[in-house]
Amino acid sequence: MSSPLFGKFRSPDGKPHMLGAMQTLDVPMHRYADGEEVDYAIVGTGAGGGVLAQRLARAGFRVVTFDAGPFWDTERDWVSDEKGSHQLYWTNRRVTGGSHPLALGENNSGQGVGGSTVHWASFTPRLHPSDFHIHSLDGVGVDWPLDYADVRPYYELMELELPVSGPAYFPWGDPHGYPYGAHPMGGVGDALIRGCTALGIPVSAGGPVGILEGSRADRPHCIYRGFCIQGCKVGAKASTLITHVPDAIANGAEIRANCMVSRVALGSNRRVNGVFYFGPDGRELFQKAKAVVIAGYSIETPRLLLNSACDGFENGLANSSDTVGRYLMAQAGNVVLGRFDQPVRMYKAPPAHALTEEFYETDPKRDFARGFAIQTVGPLPISFAKQMMSAKGAWGWGLRRLLMDYNHWASFGLLGEILPHAENRVQLADEKDQFGLPVAKVTFNLGDNDKKLIDFGKNKVMEVMHAAGAEEVVQEARYAHLVGAARMGNDPQTSVVDRFGRTHDIANLFICDGSIMPTQGSANPGLTVMSLAARIADYLIIQGNAIFASDKRDMQTSPIRYDLSPPDTWGHGMPRPVNHLVS
């Protein structure tokens, strides 16, 4: 609305709340009274929680969504500076260990409204059809309790809602095109295309990426300055903060920022009745709800369930299977860096804007199952310095010389599938956070298949870099993205939730984030998490009050609700065949 009845949503200083260079929150946010029961309490506002809250609110449900971090005002809170953007990451204390411990924080966790989508690179490839059946096809991992066909229409919806810019034809997996035009190539994309072409490897240019190539409504186009994972003050990059949360608020949802949920409360008849949380002033409060959805992602979701242990669930809420926290997965994320004689300026483009998935599927000629993608990455100078410290042992004056040579380097990323292992898990540590809650203890180990995949993959990426003309090539071993630790499945003995995100143990407790993914493929998980959230929303909406009053589990697939998309998103972009939209 152009003139809100109760005035515009404003920051404490009385100025409009900015969500980009042009976008503002122009509606007042509903506030539920203390003690007032809502339909859904949602924990987290990222890829899963943000999309789910928007759809439930638009369907008329009473929704309160919690986030442990701030409600970002992009003009006041964000800076075009790499060091100054660390507030976007979840850097609270965690304990990490195992034979291959994960680095936690800026690479895989977000804090604040929008969650990790605020600082993701917004690369949005889909999973392949094979990813849903890797046990049946390759004898590894586990099959999903649903098929690619169940998720495909939601992929299409999210690609319009973000929207996604990409090539008119994407050849891998389920071949498809993208609704908005591809981005022009930056220097690092040119290098990937050059290297792949020299080796006869098919390559895709210009996306898919949830960054506007052209201006649309109140969001400007990308200006190619390289700060995508520092929040994007411009507003060209998609995040739930700017794509879904505003519409959730416009339809009556309340977003409670700086509120740390500490425990999900179990009432009578094995049903949850709300959440305890610490408010901005540090006081512990209680929000009563008819149903609870946890969307805190693959560390904080299992941590919350384990911290919610109670009579009947002494090992953690909804954990009769002893699967909560288990099967945590990261992706192999080795970064290969190459120096070129001519300047590359890898910051002059979205970090991820070209890739090949030619090695994605299992190849019987190799001695390991599954595969990997090769993507462009565009580290800014501080990240580049850390990579050079790891890859070359650079320090002191040697590191300074490398930094002065930054514009001559290009970076390619390996994104490889690491299989689910029960011993890779999230548990509770003895240490506690500022609220007195046990922090997460994360254990991670590579299996033999994982090691073989990483060794082959990093060598292939280095081969591509050499073929592109790099005169020196080095690599940093690292991991990217987190999924799993509360996986979905048909068997309550080996999984936490069913195919609609409902916990097997508790009929009105749901999980809606990347933790429910049984396997991860070699695609960035953000688009899949959003698509699963839209699918879960359709299920909750068609079930209506039965979610609140009945323990009966109706497993019928729900019709797709195109009318729940944020306004002015569906039906735009490149024309598509009608049967592809309604299938």
Side-chain angles (χ1 to χ4, degrees):
M1 64 181 72
S2 59
S3 300
L5 182 61
F6 299 107
K8 293 185 176 182
F9 186 108
R10 293 183 179 273
S11 298
D13 59 9
K15 297 180 180 179
H17 191 103
M18 302 298 296
L19 296 179
M22 300 187 300
Q23 186 177 359
T24 60
L25 268 174
D26 289 336
V27 296
M29 183 162 64
H30 184 86
R31 306 282 183 177
Y32 289 96
D34 291 343
E36 188 175 0
E37 185 180 52
V38 298
D39 295 324
Y40 286 96
I42 302 175
V43 184
T45 59
V51 171
L52 183 69
Q54 178 267 326
R55 280 166 154 72
L56 293 180
R58 182 165 275 273
F61 290 99
R62 296 156 58 84
V63 177
V64 170
T65 302
F66 298 85
D67 200 288
F71 198 136
W72 301 115
D73 182 307
T74 61
E75 287 297 296
R76 295 165 182 78
D77 299 332
W78 293 358
V79 292
S80 297
D81 176 81
E82 192 177 2
K83 182 179 179 181
S85 298
H86 280 222
Q87 60 182 333
L88 303 177
Y89 313 131
W90 189 296
T91 55
N92 294 351
R93 187 175 189 182
R94 289 162 169 170
V95 177
T96 183
S99 58
H100 300 86
L102 299 174
L104 303 174
E106 62 187 80
N107 186 47
N108 46 39
S109 301
Q111 183 169 252
V113 176
S116 297
T117 67
V118 165
H119 69 81
W120 66 332
S122 202
F123 214 33
T124 52
R126 303 179 186 181
L127 290 179
H128 288 202
S130 66
D131 286 317
F132 295 81
H133 304 285
I134 70 169
H135 183 73
S136 296
L137 293 173
D138 300 318
V140 295
V142 65
D143 291 346
W144 289 48
L146 46 83
D147 296 319
Y148 174 85
D150 296 315
V151 185
R152 187 186 73 177
Y154 294 102
Y155 279 144
E156 294 173 344
L157 269 182
M158 289 302 111
E159 287 163 357
L160 288 166
E161 292 179 20
L162 293 177
V164 173
S165 300
Y169 182 74
F170 190 83
W172 298 286
D174 172 30
H176 58 280
Y178 288 96
Y180 288 82
H183 285 270
M185 283 296 91
V188 66
D190 286 339
L192 181 61
I193 292 169
R194 193 164 58 246
C196 287
T197 302
L199 297 173
I201 300 170
V203 62
S204 176
V209 61
I211 299 174
L212 290 175
E213 191 272 334
S215 298
R216 177 172 163 275
D218 57 358
R219 287 175 56 196
H221 59 78
C222 181
I223 59 174
Y224 306 113
R225 65 198 189 116
F227 285 99
C228 303
I229 60 177
Q230 281 68 41
C232 185
K233 277 178 71 75
V234 174
K237 188 189 75 171
S239 70
T240 54
L241 174 68
I242 65 172
T243 59
H244 290 82
V245 167
D247 193 55
I249 292 173
N251 285 280
E254 180 184 356
I255 309 296
R256 291 189 190 161
N258 296 304
C259 290
M260 176 69 181
V261 175
S262 56
R263 181 162 50 96
V264 179
L266 185 69
S268 59
N269 301 321
R270 290 172 67 96
R271 296 179 67 84
V272 296
N273 58 15
V275 297
F276 289 93
Y277 69 99
F278 290 96
D281 61 359
R283 292 187 302 126
E284 189 171 35
L285 305 167
F286 181 72
Q287 175 60 55
K288 191 174 182 181
K290 296 177 182 177
V292 173
V293 183
I294 304 176
Y297 208 31
S298 291
I299 295 180
E300 294 305 311
T301 286
R303 179 194 175 201
L304 177 57
L305 290 170
L306 295 172
N307 273 326
S308 299
C310 57
D311 291 342
F313 290 102
E314 288 78 8
N315 295 321
L317 197 61
N319 194 27
S320 65
S321 64
D322 189 32
T323 308
V324 169
R326 293 188 182 273
Y327 302 104
L328 177 73
M329 291 168 283
Q331 286 172 315
N334 299 56
V335 174
V336 171
L337 304 107
R339 192 201 183 274
F340 292 81
D341 181 57
Q342 296 298 315
V344 176
R345 297 187 178 90
M346 57 184 164
Y347 64 91
K348 295 291 287 182
H353 66 282
L355 81 161
T356 177
E357 291 186 348
E358 192 66 13
F359 306 99
Y360 194 107
E361 306 286 355
T362 296
D363 184 344
K365 297 177 183 177
R366 303 193 295 244
D367 63 347
F368 58 87
R370 307 307 295 158
F372 58 92
I374 305 174
Q375 305 176 347
T376 61
V377 292
L380 293 179
I382 295 176
S383 296
F384 175 75
K386 294 193 313 187
Q387 289 165 354
M388 285 300 179
M389 289 170 64
S390 174
K392 291 173 64 75
W395 192 254
W397 175 243
L399 182 58
R400 290 183 64 186
R401 284 193 301 175
L402 284 167
L403 284 169
M404 287 188 286
D405 202 33
Y406 167 78
N407 280 334
H408 284 264
W409 288 82
S411 295
F412 300 161
L414 166 71
L415 198 66
E417 179 171 1
I418 293 176
L419 298 174
H421 306 290
E423 66 272 17
N424 289 344
R425 63 188 302 192
V426 177
Q427 298 169 286
L428 297 181
D430 295 331
E431 294 86 346
K432 297 184 178 180
D433 65 9
Q434 67 270 35
F435 302 107
L437 303 172
V439 304
K441 175 185 175 183
V442 180
T443 303
F444 193 77
N445 310 282
L446 293 176
D448 289 339
N449 192 86
D450 308 323
K451 295 174 183 176
K452 292 176 180 178
L453 184 151
I454 292 171
D455 188 59
F456 180 92
K458 72 180 182 184
N459 288 331
K460 180 59 66 174
V461 180
M462 294 176 79
E463 181 184 356
V464 172
M465 186 68 82
H466 279 295
E471 57 192 35
E472 178 185 2
V473 178
V474 297
Q475 74 95 27
E476 177 203 22
R478 62 187 286 276
Y479 304 98
H481 308 125
L482 296 173
V483 298
R487 69 180 182 178
M488 69 167 77
N490 291 323
D491 185 356
Q493 300 301 312
T494 58
S495 59
V496 180
V497 302
D498 64 23
R499 63 177 179 267
F500 295 111
R502 191 200 303 245
T503 59
H504 292 299
D505 292 343
I506 301 171
N508 67 334
L509 175 62
F510 290 77
I511 301 175
C512 182
D513 58 34
S515 68
I516 69 175
M517 292 174 61
T519 60
Q520 61 181 334
S522 297
N524 309 59
L527 183 74
T528 297
V529 175
M530 291 179 169
S531 301
L532 292 173
R535 182 175 181 272
I536 290 171
D538 281 351
Y539 175 78
L540 295 177
I541 291 165
I542 200 69
Q543 293 295 311
N545 289 332
I547 297 295
F548 310 138
S550 173
D551 290 342
K552 182 181 178 181
R553 294 171 183 261
D554 181 357
M555 301 303 291
Q556 296 300 312
T557 300
S558 306
I560 300 164
R561 292 285 300 273
Y562 296 102
D563 60 315
L564 295 177
S565 294
D568 198 37
T569 57
W570 189 85
H572 294 262
M574 295 179 181
R576 296 183 178 201
V578 172
N579 65 337
H580 208 192
L581 282 173
V582 299
S583 61

